[in-house]
Amino acid sequence: MTLLAVDHVGLSVGDAVQAAHYFRSAYGFHIEAETGPGAGPDGTRSFVLRHGDVRLVVTSSLNGNGPTADFVRRHGDGVRDVAFSSTDAVGDFERAVAAGAEAVREPAVHEDESGRVTVAVIGTDSDLVHSLVQRDNPDGSFLPGVHRPVPHQGSSNIGNGKGNATAHHLHTVDHLALCLRPDTLDHWVSFYERALGLRHTYDETIVVGGQTMNSKVVQNDSRHITFTMVEPRTDGPRGQLHDFLDNFGGPGVQHIAFGTDAIADAVRALAVRGVDFLSTPSAYYTALAERGIDVGMETETLRELSLLVDRDDWGHLIQIFTRSPYARRTLFFELIQRVEARTFGSGNIKALYEAVERERERTRTGADEPGTGTGTDTATPALAGTAQA
C-alpha cells in the first residue's frame, strides 16, 4: 500500500453551513473550497475547511436522499469518511478490495488547470468509509469539477482576533479514535492490517471504575495514519463506551485528535472562542510528582487549563479533551502536544474517566458544575472517551 497520511476527515452533518460556521468561529478554520447548494453528489452542500495541515470536509444533504442523509439519520452529525493520501489510488483500491474491503466507489479522475486528483472509496464493516486520494499537485484544487476554490481571507490561526495565538496551528490529525462493539476489536485490527497495510503497534487492557476496556492501535510506518481502537468488555457495568455505541447507533469515530506545538496557548485561545473542555480533578495534579512526570510546564498552569500529561519510553505528551458539541453527545475533539512520545496517555485514563463520569452524572441530574476557566458551562457534555482511545 502507498498510503501516506490523513488527507482529510469528512463529516456528514445536518447543516453544512452551520457546521462550517462552528469550525471557523470556534477553531479558526478557513474555507478552502465549497460546492454550491445541491451541487454536490446526491444533492449535497459541502465545505472544505483548512487549519494548518488539517482538512475537514462538512457535508449535508439538501433533499434528504443519499448516503449523507442516511448517515445523519442513523448517527447524527459525525465522521463518515477518513480519507488517506496515496501515491497510487488505483492500485491501493484494487489491493484493498482484493483483501476484503467493500468497493464503495471505483477510481475516478478529477482534473482542471491546477492538476489531477484521483479518488476511490472503500468501505468497512460499519458506515465508516475511506477515500483514497492521489494528488498529482498537492497545491492544486481540492477536488476539481466538484468543489470550487474559495479565496483565503483572514488567518486560520486559532486566535484570529480572539485570543493571542497567532502561531499555534492545529497542525495535524494526530490520531482518530474508534469506539467498537464488544468482541469486535481483533476483527477491526485484522481488517486494517489486510485491507490498508497498517500495523498493529500497541495494545492494552484497561480496568477502571469496575469497567474493563480493550484497546489496540494500528498505524502506517510513518505514524501519520493512526487509529486508536477501543471496545468495552462484557464482564462489567455499562459505561462511557456503551453510551457512545447507543447514542451513535453503532461503532464509529469517537474523537479526532489535533496535534499542536503550543497546547497551553492554544487552549487559552480556543476557550476564548467558546470551545468547552473537560475539567480534571485537582488531586490529579497533586499526584504528578509521585508519577515523576516533568513536562517543563508549571503545575499551576497545567491545573488552570486542566491539561493532562504522560510519558512513555520515547518522551512525554500533554493533552486535553473537549466536551461534545453535538446533540447526541458523541463525537468530541482532543488537543495533543507530543515531545517525542509515541503512545496516547494511558497513564491519564483514571483522571479522564473520573472527569467524564462527572459529565455523565451532570447530564443525568441536570446539575451544573463550575467551569475550569478554560470553557463555558453551556456546551453539551461528552459522554464517551478515554485517554487511550
Side-chain angles (χ1 to χ4, degrees):
M1 305 295 284
T2 71
L3 306 181
L4 303 176
V6 175
D7 182 86
H8 65 272
V9 179
L11 289 84
S12 291
V13 299
D15 187 334
V17 174
Q18 183 182 57
H21 174 74
Y22 171 74
F23 285 111
R24 292 178 69 193
S25 63
Y27 286 88
F29 282 79
H30 71 268
I31 295 177
E32 180 179 66
E34 65 177 351
T35 65
D42 301 311
T44 56
R45 181 79 190 272
S46 182
F47 296 91
V48 181
L49 298 145
R50 185 77 178 261
H51 190 99
D53 289 332
V54 179
R55 273 196 184 111
L56 302 179
V57 182
V58 295
T59 304
S60 61
S61 171
L62 300 187
N63 58 23
N65 299 318
T68 296
D70 291 342
F71 183 97
V72 174
R73 276 192 290 268
R74 283 193 292 268
H75 306 294
D77 290 7
V79 174
R80 178 171 177 260
D81 184 6
V82 179
F84 306 122
S85 58
S86 165
T87 59
D88 181 13
V90 173
D92 287 340
F93 174 83
E94 293 173 347
R95 286 184 284 270
V97 171
E102 177 190 359
V104 174
R105 191 176 306 147
E106 297 284 334
V109 176
H110 304 265
E111 190 171 8
D112 65 9
E113 63 279 2
S114 73
R116 177 189 307 191
V117 181
T118 304
V119 181
V121 184
I122 64 167
T124 66
D125 286 346
S126 74
D127 287 333
L128 180 66
V129 301
H130 297 299
S131 293
L132 310 175
V133 184
Q134 179 179 345
R135 299 184 183 278
D136 292 353
N137 177 13
D139 296 323
S141 299
F142 176 77
L143 195 60
V146 178
H147 290 84
R148 63 192 183 205
V150 174
H152 183 190
Q153 296 180 350
S155 171
S156 66
N157 294 334
I158 293 173
N160 201 22
K162 296 183 179 180
N164 183 20
T166 56
H168 310 305
H169 291 283
L170 309 179
H171 56 73
T172 58
V173 174
D174 183 89
H175 63 274
L176 298 107
L178 299 180
C179 182
L180 308 176
R181 291 191 176 99
D183 301 321
T184 64
L185 179 58
D186 289 338
H187 172 78
W188 279 79
V189 170
S190 176
F191 169 82
Y192 281 111
E193 289 178 325
R194 289 182 291 103
L196 292 174
L198 304 184
R199 293 188 302 110
H200 172 206
T201 60
Y202 186 78
D203 58 63
E204 187 171 24
T205 298
I206 305 153
V207 182
V208 61
Q211 299 175 38
T212 304
M213 299 164 275
N214 296 324
S215 177
K216 297 190 177 185
V217 176
V218 294
Q219 300 175 296
N220 68 343
D221 289 340
S222 69
R223 301 193 300 278
H224 292 150
I225 298 173
T226 298
F227 287 109
T228 67
M229 298 183 285
V230 65
E231 65 174 6
R233 289 258 291 268
T234 56
D235 52 346
R238 291 174 55 84
Q240 302 158 28
L241 303 183
H242 296 93
D243 286 347
F244 177 91
L245 293 168
D246 290 347
N247 295 341
F248 189 72
V253 174
Q254 179 206 46
H255 73 258
I256 305 170
F258 298 126
T260 179
D261 289 331
I263 192 168
D265 291 336
V267 168
R268 287 191 178 99
L270 288 176
V272 169
R273 301 176 73 96
V275 176
D276 203 13
F277 295 95
L278 289 179
S279 60
T280 302
S282 181
Y284 170 86
Y285 300 99
T286 304
L288 279 183
E290 298 173 6
R291 293 170 61 191
I293 297 178
D294 181 5
V295 297
M297 190 179 296
E298 293 292 334
T299 301
E300 285 310 307
T301 300
L302 298 171
R303 189 193 310 269
E304 170 203 350
L305 300 176
S306 283
L307 295 172
L308 303 167
V309 299
D310 201 14
R311 66 180 180 186
D312 59 21
D313 291 340
W314 297 272
H316 66 263
L317 61 85
I318 312 170
Q319 62 192 153
I320 191 169
F321 299 82
T322 73
R323 293 186 173 109
S324 175
Y326 298 102
R328 297 196 187 192
R329 299 167 183 171
T330 48
L331 177 68
F332 60 99
F333 304 96
E334 173 185 353
L335 269 62
I336 184 168
Q337 179 177 342
R338 295 185 180 275
V339 184
E340 305 299 332
R342 298 184 184 181
T343 53
F344 303 91
S346 59
N348 291 322
I349 290 175
K350 180 175 174 57
L352 183 62
Y353 173 87
E354 292 172 349
V356 178
E357 283 301 299
R358 289 199 308 278
E359 293 300 319
R360 295 179 75 218
E361 182 63 25
R362 176 187 175 192
T363 301
R364 285 193 294 267
T365 63
D368 201 11
E369 179 185 78
T372 63
T374 59
T376 69
D377 289 320
T378 58
T380 306
L383 297 187
T386 69
Q388 174 58 33

